[in-house]
mmCIF file of all heavy atoms in Angstrom:
data_model
loop_
_atom_site.group_PDB
_atom_site.id
_atom_site.type_symbol
_atom_site.label_atom_id
_atom_site.label_comp_id
_atom_site.label_asym_id
_atom_site.label_seq_id
_atom_site.Cartn_x
_atom_site.Cartn_y
_atom_site.Cartn_z
ATOM 1 N N ASP A 179 1.446 26.768 -15.690
ATOM 2 C CA ASP A 179 1.819 25.456 -16.206
ATOM 3 C C ASP A 179 2.626 25.627 -17.496
ATOM 4 O O ASP A 179 2.128 26.189 -18.460
ATOM 5 C CB ASP A 179 0.531 24.665 -16.477
ATOM 6 C CG ASP A 179 0.799 23.236 -16.875
ATOM 7 O OD1 ASP A 179 1.974 22.916 -17.162
ATOM 8 O OD2 ASP A 179 -0.157 22.455 -16.900
ATOM 9 N N PRO A 180 3.886 25.128 -17.518
ATOM 10 C CA PRO A 180 4.695 25.295 -18.739
ATOM 11 C C PRO A 180 4.044 24.643 -19.960
ATOM 12 O O PRO A 180 4.280 25.068 -21.086
ATOM 13 C CB PRO A 180 6.019 24.604 -18.406
ATOM 14 C CG PRO A 180 5.955 24.195 -16.992
ATOM 15 C CD PRO A 180 4.592 24.423 -16.464
ATOM 16 N N MET A 181 3.196 23.634 -19.715
ATOM 17 C CA MET A 181 2.516 23.001 -20.847
ATOM 18 C C MET A 181 1.595 23.985 -21.571
ATOM 19 O O MET A 181 1.320 23.835 -22.751
ATOM 20 C CB MET A 181 1.703 21.796 -20.361
ATOM 21 C CG MET A 181 2.536 20.589 -19.979
ATOM 22 S SD MET A 181 3.708 20.107 -21.251
ATOM 23 C CE MET A 181 2.773 18.830 -22.083
ATOM 24 N N THR A 182 1.112 24.994 -20.821
ATOM 25 C CA THR A 182 0.262 26.010 -21.439
ATOM 26 C C THR A 182 1.025 26.698 -22.573
ATOM 27 O O THR A 182 0.461 27.001 -23.620
ATOM 28 C CB THR A 182 -0.143 27.057 -20.385
ATOM 29 O OG1 THR A 182 -0.599 26.368 -19.238
ATOM 30 C CG2 THR A 182 -1.233 27.945 -20.893
ATOM 31 N N LEU A 183 2.324 26.921 -22.342
ATOM 32 C CA LEU A 183 3.123 27.600 -23.359
ATOM 33 C C LEU A 183 3.400 26.675 -24.542
ATOM 34 O O LEU A 183 3.445 27.116 -25.686
ATOM 35 C CB LEU A 183 4.434 28.106 -22.747
ATOM 36 C CG LEU A 183 4.220 29.169 -21.667
ATOM 37 C CD1 LEU A 183 5.527 29.526 -21.001
ATOM 38 C CD2 LEU A 183 3.583 30.422 -22.274
ATOM 39 N N ARG A 184 3.576 25.367 -24.256
ATOM 40 C CA ARG A 184 3.737 24.418 -25.350
ATOM 41 C C ARG A 184 2.476 24.382 -26.189
ATOM 42 O O ARG A 184 2.532 24.308 -27.412
ATOM 43 C CB ARG A 184 4.013 23.021 -24.795
ATOM 44 C CG ARG A 184 5.440 22.859 -24.334
ATOM 45 C CD ARG A 184 5.683 21.426 -23.964
ATOM 46 N NE ARG A 184 7.099 21.158 -23.892
ATOM 47 C CZ ARG A 184 7.614 19.986 -23.565
ATOM 48 N NH1 ARG A 184 6.819 18.988 -23.277
ATOM 49 N NH2 ARG A 184 8.907 19.819 -23.521
ATOM 50 N N ALA A 185 1.337 24.394 -25.480
ATOM 51 C CA ALA A 185 0.061 24.387 -26.191
ATOM 52 C C ALA A 185 -0.036 25.619 -27.085
ATOM 53 O O ALA A 185 -0.449 25.530 -28.238
ATOM 54 C CB ALA A 185 -1.093 24.349 -25.199
ATOM 55 N N ALA A 186 0.392 26.765 -26.559
ATOM 56 C CA ALA A 186 0.349 27.997 -27.345
ATOM 57 C C ALA A 186 1.223 27.857 -28.585
ATOM 58 O O ALA A 186 0.832 28.270 -29.681
ATOM 59 C CB ALA A 186 0.803 29.176 -26.496
ATOM 60 N N ALA A 187 2.399 27.255 -28.420
ATOM 61 C CA ALA A 187 3.306 27.089 -29.560
ATOM 62 C C ALA A 187 2.652 26.217 -30.632
ATOM 63 O O ALA A 187 2.656 26.568 -31.815
ATOM 64 C CB ALA A 187 4.627 26.469 -29.105
ATOM 65 N N LEU A 188 2.048 25.091 -30.207
ATOM 66 C CA LEU A 188 1.429 24.220 -31.206
ATOM 67 C C LEU A 188 0.230 24.888 -31.861
ATOM 68 O O LEU A 188 -0.099 24.601 -32.996
ATOM 69 C CB LEU A 188 0.994 22.899 -30.571
ATOM 70 C CG LEU A 188 2.018 21.773 -30.645
ATOM 71 C CD1 LEU A 188 1.349 20.466 -30.312
ATOM 72 C CD2 LEU A 188 2.688 21.685 -32.001
ATOM 73 N N CYS A 189 -0.413 25.810 -31.131
ATOM 74 C CA CYS A 189 -1.531 26.555 -31.711
ATOM 75 C C CYS A 189 -1.042 27.532 -32.776
ATOM 76 O O CYS A 189 -1.844 28.181 -33.436
ATOM 77 C CB CYS A 189 -2.289 27.340 -30.636
ATOM 78 S SG CYS A 189 -3.411 26.333 -29.678
ATOM 79 N N GLY A 190 0.275 27.672 -32.884
ATOM 80 C CA GLY A 190 0.820 28.545 -33.921
ATOM 81 C C GLY A 190 1.407 29.841 -33.393
ATOM 82 O O GLY A 190 1.787 30.705 -34.179
ATOM 83 N N ALA A 191 1.462 30.005 -32.073
ATOM 84 C CA ALA A 191 1.984 31.246 -31.516
ATOM 85 C C ALA A 191 3.514 31.229 -31.553
ATOM 86 O O ALA A 191 4.137 30.287 -31.075
ATOM 87 C CB ALA A 191 1.499 31.426 -30.088
ATOM 88 N N SER A 192 4.103 32.270 -32.129
ATOM 89 C CA SER A 192 5.556 32.401 -32.108
ATOM 90 C C SER A 192 5.965 32.651 -30.664
ATOM 91 O O SER A 192 5.134 33.012 -29.832
ATOM 92 C CB SER A 192 5.973 33.578 -32.980
ATOM 93 O OG SER A 192 5.498 34.781 -32.408
ATOM 94 N N PRO A 193 7.259 32.469 -30.343
ATOM 95 C CA PRO A 193 7.671 32.719 -28.956
ATOM 96 C C PRO A 193 7.232 34.097 -28.448
ATOM 97 O O PRO A 193 6.780 34.236 -27.316
ATOM 98 C CB PRO A 193 9.195 32.612 -29.029
ATOM 99 C CG PRO A 193 9.435 31.662 -30.150
ATOM 100 C CD PRO A 193 8.348 31.922 -31.158
ATOM 101 N N GLN A 195 4.625 35.916 -29.523
ATOM 102 C CA GLN A 195 3.163 35.914 -29.333
ATOM 103 C C GLN A 195 2.776 35.159 -28.065
ATOM 104 O O GLN A 195 1.883 35.586 -27.330
ATOM 105 C CB GLN A 195 2.476 35.277 -30.542
ATOM 106 C CG GLN A 195 2.397 36.196 -31.750
ATOM 107 C CD GLN A 195 1.868 35.460 -32.974
ATOM 108 O OE1 GLN A 195 2.221 34.309 -33.212
ATOM 109 N NE2 GLN A 195 1.024 36.128 -33.739
ATOM 110 N N ALA A 196 3.455 34.045 -27.816
ATOM 111 C CA ALA A 196 3.160 33.267 -26.605
ATOM 112 C C ALA A 196 3.478 34.104 -25.366
ATOM 113 O O ALA A 196 2.741 34.083 -24.386
ATOM 114 C CB ALA A 196 3.972 31.974 -26.597
ATOM 115 N N ARG A 198 3.527 37.503 -25.195
ATOM 116 C CA ARG A 198 2.661 38.666 -25.078
ATOM 117 C C ARG A 198 1.216 38.281 -24.747
ATOM 118 O O ARG A 198 0.547 38.939 -23.966
ATOM 119 C CB ARG A 198 2.687 39.466 -26.382
ATOM 120 C CG ARG A 198 2.235 40.901 -26.213
ATOM 121 C CD ARG A 198 2.270 41.643 -27.524
ATOM 122 N NE ARG A 198 1.288 41.165 -28.463
ATOM 123 C CZ ARG A 198 -0.015 41.422 -28.383
ATOM 124 N NH1 ARG A 198 -0.485 42.126 -27.373
ATOM 125 N NH2 ARG A 198 -0.850 40.950 -29.276
ATOM 126 N N ARG A 199 0.741 37.191 -25.341
ATOM 127 C CA ARG A 199 -0.674 36.854 -25.168
ATOM 128 C C ARG A 199 -0.936 35.913 -24.006
ATOM 129 O O ARG A 199 -2.044 35.842 -23.497
ATOM 130 C CB ARG A 199 -1.215 36.214 -26.459
ATOM 131 C CG ARG A 199 -1.390 37.206 -27.585
ATOM 132 C CD ARG A 199 -1.721 36.465 -28.868
ATOM 133 N NE ARG A 199 -1.951 37.374 -29.969
ATOM 134 C CZ ARG A 199 -3.164 37.814 -30.311
ATOM 135 N NH1 ARG A 199 -4.212 37.438 -29.634
ATOM 136 N NH2 ARG A 199 -3.307 38.635 -31.331
ATOM 137 N N ILE A 200 0.084 35.131 -23.610
ATOM 138 C CA ILE A 200 -0.141 34.138 -22.560
ATOM 139 C C ILE A 200 0.689 34.432 -21.306
ATOM 140 O O ILE A 200 0.154 34.711 -20.237
ATOM 141 C CB ILE A 200 0.183 32.708 -23.069
ATOM 142 C CG1 ILE A 200 -0.552 32.426 -24.369
ATOM 143 C CG2 ILE A 200 -0.142 31.673 -22.001
ATOM 144 C CD1 ILE A 200 -2.059 32.463 -24.255
ATOM 145 N N LEU A 201 2.008 34.410 -21.457
ATOM 146 C CA LEU A 201 2.857 34.505 -20.273
ATOM 147 C C LEU A 201 2.696 35.853 -19.569
ATOM 148 O O LEU A 201 2.518 35.919 -18.352
ATOM 149 C CB LEU A 201 4.322 34.282 -20.669
ATOM 150 C CG LEU A 201 5.283 34.142 -19.498
ATOM 151 C CD1 LEU A 201 4.894 32.968 -18.619
ATOM 152 C CD2 LEU A 201 6.714 33.978 -19.997
ATOM 153 N N PRO A 203 0.181 38.256 -19.667
ATOM 154 C CA PRO A 203 -1.077 38.457 -18.927
ATOM 155 C C PRO A 203 -1.168 37.596 -17.671
ATOM 156 O O PRO A 203 -1.665 38.041 -16.642
ATOM 157 C CB PRO A 203 -2.162 38.042 -19.927
ATOM 158 C CG PRO A 203 -1.519 37.999 -21.248
ATOM 159 C CD PRO A 203 -0.051 37.882 -21.070
ATOM 160 N N LEU A 204 -0.669 36.359 -17.749
ATOM 161 C CA LEU A 204 -0.772 35.467 -16.594
ATOM 162 C C LEU A 204 0.158 35.899 -15.462
ATOM 163 O O LEU A 204 -0.067 35.568 -14.308
ATOM 164 C CB LEU A 204 -0.462 34.027 -16.999
ATOM 165 C CG LEU A 204 -1.525 33.324 -17.835
ATOM 166 C CD1 LEU A 204 -1.095 31.915 -18.196
ATOM 167 C CD2 LEU A 204 -2.854 33.289 -17.096
ATOM 168 N N TYR B 49 5.970 13.493 -28.922
ATOM 169 C CA TYR B 49 6.608 14.793 -28.728
ATOM 170 C C TYR B 49 7.556 15.124 -29.868
ATOM 171 O O TYR B 49 7.736 16.302 -30.204
ATOM 172 C CB TYR B 49 7.353 14.818 -27.384
ATOM 173 C CG TYR B 49 6.436 14.961 -26.187
ATOM 174 C CD1 TYR B 49 5.060 15.042 -26.351
ATOM 175 C CD2 TYR B 49 6.942 15.030 -24.892
ATOM 176 C CE1 TYR B 49 4.216 15.170 -25.267
ATOM 177 C CE2 TYR B 49 6.099 15.166 -23.795
ATOM 178 C CZ TYR B 49 4.742 15.228 -23.990
ATOM 179 O OH TYR B 49 3.911 15.361 -22.917
ATOM 180 N N ALA B 52 5.383 16.494 -32.426
ATOM 181 C CA ALA B 52 4.921 17.839 -32.050
ATOM 182 C C ALA B 52 6.050 18.869 -32.124
ATOM 183 O O ALA B 52 5.797 20.057 -32.225
ATOM 184 C CB ALA B 52 4.344 17.818 -30.633
ATOM 185 N N PHE B 54 8.419 19.093 -29.650
ATOM 186 C CA PHE B 54 8.876 19.442 -28.305
ATOM 187 C C PHE B 54 10.217 18.806 -28.018
ATOM 188 O O PHE B 54 10.949 19.237 -27.132
ATOM 189 C CB PHE B 54 7.882 18.968 -27.249
ATOM 190 C CG PHE B 54 6.549 19.629 -27.366
ATOM 191 C CD1 PHE B 54 5.403 18.986 -26.921
ATOM 192 C CD2 PHE B 54 6.432 20.893 -27.923
ATOM 193 C CE1 PHE B 54 4.165 19.595 -27.030
ATOM 194 C CE2 PHE B 54 5.197 21.500 -28.029
ATOM 195 C CZ PHE B 54 4.073 20.851 -27.586
ATOM 196 N N SER B 74 7.882 24.113 -33.623
ATOM 197 C CA SER B 74 6.525 23.724 -33.207
ATOM 198 C C SER B 74 5.440 24.643 -33.747
ATOM 199 O O SER B 74 4.426 24.188 -34.253
ATOM 200 C CB SER B 74 6.425 23.736 -31.678
ATOM 201 O OG SER B 74 6.995 22.582 -31.143
ATOM 202 N N HIS B 75 5.671 25.958 -33.609
ATOM 203 C CA HIS B 75 4.578 26.868 -33.921
ATOM 204 C C HIS B 75 4.330 27.005 -35.420
ATOM 205 O O HIS B 75 3.373 27.650 -35.843
ATOM 206 C CB HIS B 75 4.788 28.237 -33.254
ATOM 207 C CG HIS B 75 5.912 29.045 -33.820
ATOM 208 N ND1 HIS B 75 7.208 28.874 -33.414
ATOM 209 C CD2 HIS B 75 5.930 30.029 -34.727
ATOM 210 C CE1 HIS B 75 7.984 29.728 -34.061
ATOM 211 N NE2 HIS B 75 7.233 30.443 -34.865
ATOM 212 N N ILE B 79 0.154 21.631 -36.377
ATOM 213 C CA ILE B 79 -0.363 20.379 -35.832
ATOM 214 C C ILE B 79 -1.251 20.716 -34.638
ATOM 215 O O ILE B 79 -0.949 21.627 -33.878
ATOM 216 C CB ILE B 79 0.812 19.482 -35.383
ATOM 217 C CG1 ILE B 79 1.513 18.905 -36.613
ATOM 218 C CG2 ILE B 79 0.351 18.373 -34.448
ATOM 219 C CD1 ILE B 79 2.744 18.097 -36.282
ATOM 220 N N MET B 81 -2.990 19.676 -30.976
ATOM 221 C CA MET B 81 -2.659 18.749 -29.906
ATOM 222 C C MET B 81 -3.546 18.951 -28.690
ATOM 223 O O MET B 81 -3.859 20.073 -28.307
ATOM 224 C CB MET B 81 -1.192 18.924 -29.503
ATOM 225 C CG MET B 81 -0.747 17.923 -28.446
ATOM 226 S SD MET B 81 1.033 17.614 -28.537
ATOM 227 C CE MET B 81 1.243 16.444 -27.209
ATOM 228 N N PHE B 83 -3.664 17.802 -24.644
ATOM 229 C CA PHE B 83 -2.715 17.303 -23.659
ATOM 230 C C PHE B 83 -3.423 16.544 -22.547
ATOM 231 O O PHE B 83 -4.629 16.612 -22.387
ATOM 232 C CB PHE B 83 -1.929 18.466 -23.048
ATOM 233 C CG PHE B 83 -1.095 19.206 -24.048
ATOM 234 C CD1 PHE B 83 -1.655 20.178 -24.861
ATOM 235 C CD2 PHE B 83 0.255 18.935 -24.183
ATOM 236 C CE1 PHE B 83 -0.886 20.866 -25.781
ATOM 237 C CE2 PHE B 83 1.027 19.606 -25.093
ATOM 238 C CZ PHE B 83 0.466 20.582 -25.892
ATOM 239 N N ARG B 85 -3.073 17.098 -19.196
ATOM 240 C CA ARG B 85 -3.706 18.070 -18.315
ATOM 241 C C ARG B 85 -4.378 19.103 -19.194
ATOM 242 O O ARG B 85 -4.005 19.302 -20.333
ATOM 243 C CB ARG B 85 -2.664 18.733 -17.418
ATOM 244 C CG ARG B 85 -2.280 17.850 -16.259
ATOM 245 C CD ARG B 85 -1.096 18.424 -15.545
ATOM 246 N NE ARG B 85 0.079 18.350 -16.369
ATOM 247 C CZ ARG B 85 1.136 19.141 -16.216
ATOM 248 N NH1 ARG B 85 1.132 20.062 -15.313
ATOM 249 N NH2 ARG B 85 2.192 18.998 -16.990
ATOM 250 N N THR B 87 -4.714 22.277 -20.781
ATOM 251 C CA THR B 87 -3.770 23.379 -20.975
ATOM 252 C C THR B 87 -4.472 24.580 -21.576
ATOM 253 O O THR B 87 -3.910 25.284 -22.379
ATOM 254 C CB THR B 87 -2.640 22.954 -21.910
ATOM 255 O OG1 THR B 87 -3.254 22.409 -23.078
ATOM 256 C CG2 THR B 87 -1.762 21.910 -21.266
ATOM 257 N N LEU B 88 -5.701 24.812 -21.169
ATOM 258 C CA LEU B 88 -6.400 25.998 -21.657
ATOM 259 C C LEU B 88 -5.738 27.229 -21.061
ATOM 260 O O LEU B 88 -5.096 27.164 -20.011
ATOM 261 C CB LEU B 88 -7.868 25.941 -21.253
ATOM 262 C CG LEU B 88 -8.641 24.763 -21.841
ATOM 263 C CD1 LEU B 88 -10.084 24.809 -21.367
ATOM 264 C CD2 LEU B 88 -8.584 24.783 -23.353
ATOM 265 N N PHE B 89 -5.904 28.369 -21.741
ATOM 266 C CA PHE B 89 -5.338 29.621 -21.238
ATOM 267 C C PHE B 89 -6.311 30.173 -20.202
ATOM 268 O O PHE B 89 -7.420 30.578 -20.549
ATOM 269 C CB PHE B 89 -5.122 30.593 -22.390
ATOM 270 C CG PHE B 89 -4.352 29.968 -23.530
ATOM 271 C CD1 PHE B 89 -4.823 30.021 -24.825
ATOM 272 C CD2 PHE B 89 -3.156 29.304 -23.289
ATOM 273 C CE1 PHE B 89 -4.119 29.424 -25.871
ATOM 274 C CE2 PHE B 89 -2.447 28.703 -24.320
ATOM 275 C CZ PHE B 89 -2.930 28.765 -25.615
ATOM 276 N N PRO B 90 -5.905 30.183 -18.918
ATOM 277 C CA PRO B 90 -6.877 30.451 -17.850
ATOM 278 C C PRO B 90 -7.443 31.871 -17.867
ATOM 279 O O PRO B 90 -8.498 32.105 -17.308
ATOM 280 C CB PRO B 90 -6.063 30.199 -16.565
ATOM 281 C CG PRO B 90 -4.636 30.259 -16.962
ATOM 282 C CD PRO B 90 -4.571 29.863 -18.409
ATOM 283 N N HIS B 91 -6.737 32.810 -18.534
ATOM 284 C CA HIS B 91 -7.208 34.197 -18.514
ATOM 285 C C HIS B 91 -8.113 34.510 -19.697
ATOM 286 O O HIS B 91 -8.610 35.622 -19.810
ATOM 287 C CB HIS B 91 -6.025 35.159 -18.486
ATOM 288 C CG HIS B 91 -5.120 35.001 -19.673
ATOM 289 N ND1 HIS B 91 -4.488 33.818 -19.979
ATOM 290 C CD2 HIS B 91 -4.752 35.876 -20.628
ATOM 291 C CE1 HIS B 91 -3.757 33.973 -21.072
ATOM 292 N NE2 HIS B 91 -3.898 35.210 -21.491
ATOM 293 N N PHE B 100 -7.822 31.543 -30.230
ATOM 294 C CA PHE B 100 -6.387 31.847 -30.114
ATOM 295 C C PHE B 100 -5.555 31.451 -31.333
ATOM 296 O O PHE B 100 -4.842 32.280 -31.899
ATOM 297 C CB PHE B 100 -5.822 31.225 -28.826
ATOM 298 C CG PHE B 100 -4.376 31.495 -28.599
ATOM 299 C CD1 PHE B 100 -3.950 32.681 -28.013
ATOM 300 C CD2 PHE B 100 -3.406 30.576 -28.993
ATOM 301 C CE1 PHE B 100 -2.605 32.940 -27.818
ATOM 302 C CE2 PHE B 100 -2.057 30.828 -28.797
ATOM 303 C CZ PHE B 100 -1.662 32.016 -28.213
ATOM 304 N N PRO B 101 -5.642 30.186 -31.776
ATOM 305 C CA PRO B 101 -4.815 29.807 -32.934
ATOM 306 C C PRO B 101 -5.147 30.622 -34.180
ATOM 307 O O PRO B 101 -4.270 30.839 -35.024
ATOM 308 C CB PRO B 101 -5.143 28.320 -33.150
ATOM 309 C CG PRO B 101 -6.238 27.982 -32.222
ATOM 310 C CD PRO B 101 -6.382 29.048 -31.225
ATOM 311 N N ARG B 103 -6.296 33.832 -34.075
ATOM 312 C CA ARG B 103 -5.822 35.197 -33.834
ATOM 313 C C ARG B 103 -4.325 35.289 -34.107
ATOM 314 O O ARG B 103 -3.855 36.250 -34.698
ATOM 315 C CB ARG B 103 -6.101 35.614 -32.396
ATOM 316 C CG ARG B 103 -7.587 35.660 -32.061
ATOM 317 C CD ARG B 103 -7.958 36.947 -31.340
ATOM 318 N NE ARG B 103 -9.344 36.936 -30.923
ATOM 319 C CZ ARG B 103 -10.356 37.300 -31.706
ATOM 320 N NH1 ARG B 103 -10.137 37.716 -32.937
ATOM 321 N NH2 ARG B 103 -11.596 37.252 -31.249
ATOM 322 N N VAL B 104 -3.540 34.289 -33.641
ATOM 323 C CA VAL B 104 -2.101 34.381 -33.891
ATOM 324 C C VAL B 104 -1.798 34.205 -35.382
ATOM 325 O O VAL B 104 -0.742 34.598 -35.849
ATOM 326 C CB VAL B 104 -1.272 33.373 -33.055
ATOM 327 C CG1 VAL B 104 -1.428 33.646 -31.569
ATOM 328 C CG2 VAL B 104 -1.630 31.947 -33.378
ATOM 329 N N ARG B 105 -2.753 33.643 -36.120
ATOM 330 C CA ARG B 105 -2.579 33.544 -37.570
ATOM 331 C C ARG B 105 -3.151 34.768 -38.286
ATOM 332 O O ARG B 105 -3.201 34.795 -39.518
ATOM 333 C CB ARG B 105 -3.273 32.286 -38.092
ATOM 334 C CG ARG B 105 -2.522 31.013 -37.781
ATOM 335 C CD ARG B 105 -3.343 29.789 -38.192
ATOM 336 N NE ARG B 105 -2.585 28.553 -38.064
ATOM 337 C CZ ARG B 105 -2.306 27.968 -36.906
ATOM 338 N NH1 ARG B 105 -2.731 28.518 -35.785
ATOM 339 N NH2 ARG B 105 -1.609 26.862 -36.855
ATOM 340 N N ARG B 106 -3.623 35.721 -37.499
ATOM 341 C CA ARG B 106 -4.170 36.976 -38.032
ATOM 342 C C ARG B 106 -5.269 36.753 -39.073
ATOM 343 O O ARG B 106 -5.296 37.385 -40.124
ATOM 344 C CB ARG B 106 -3.056 37.838 -38.641
ATOM 345 C CG ARG B 106 -1.983 38.170 -37.629
ATOM 346 C CD ARG B 106 -0.954 39.125 -38.182
ATOM 347 N NE ARG B 106 0.278 39.050 -37.431
ATOM 348 C CZ ARG B 106 0.415 39.449 -36.158
ATOM 349 N NH1 ARG B 106 -0.612 39.978 -35.526
ATOM 350 N NH2 ARG B 106 1.570 39.330 -35.541
ATOM 351 N N ARG B 148 -10.119 23.854 -29.614
ATOM 352 C CA ARG B 148 -8.998 24.748 -29.899
ATOM 353 C C ARG B 148 -8.008 24.070 -30.851
ATOM 354 O O ARG B 148 -7.490 24.693 -31.770
ATOM 355 C CB ARG B 148 -8.289 25.132 -28.592
ATOM 356 C CG ARG B 148 -7.159 26.121 -28.789
ATOM 357 C CD ARG B 148 -6.481 26.453 -27.483
ATOM 358 N NE ARG B 148 -5.800 25.282 -26.916
ATOM 359 C CZ ARG B 148 -5.176 25.280 -25.737
ATOM 360 N NH1 ARG B 148 -5.170 26.378 -25.004
ATOM 361 N NH2 ARG B 148 -4.578 24.200 -25.295
ATOM 362 N N TYR B 152 -7.984 25.345 -36.407
ATOM 363 C CA TYR B 152 -7.234 25.788 -37.599
ATOM 364 C C TYR B 152 -7.082 24.659 -38.613
ATOM 365 O O TYR B 152 -6.163 24.671 -39.426
ATOM 366 C CB TYR B 152 -5.885 26.377 -37.189
ATOM 367 C CG TYR B 152 -5.127 25.593 -36.131
ATOM 368 C CD1 TYR B 152 -4.024 24.832 -36.457
ATOM 369 C CD2 TYR B 152 -5.530 25.632 -34.787
ATOM 370 C CE1 TYR B 152 -3.331 24.121 -35.482
ATOM 371 C CE2 TYR B 152 -4.859 24.912 -33.820
ATOM 372 C CZ TYR B 152 -3.756 24.167 -34.164
ATOM 373 O OH TYR B 152 -3.083 23.448 -33.199
#
Side-chain angles (χ1 to χ4, degrees):
Chain A
D179 186 348
M181 287 309 264
T182 312
L183 296 174
R184 282 187 164 179
L188 267 194
C189 281
S192 66
Q195 283 173 320
R198 200 180 68 75
R199 287 171 178 266
I200 308 298
L201 189 60
L204 288 179
Chain B
Y49 284 1
F54 297 153
S74 281
H75 69 276
I79 286 176
M81 184 154 180
F83 297 82
R85 281 170 292 157
T87 52
L88 298 180
F89 309 128
H91 59 301
F100 181 83
R103 297 227 185 275
V104 298
R105 285 174 173 75
R106 301 185 201 292
R148 183 181 65 183
Y152 44 106

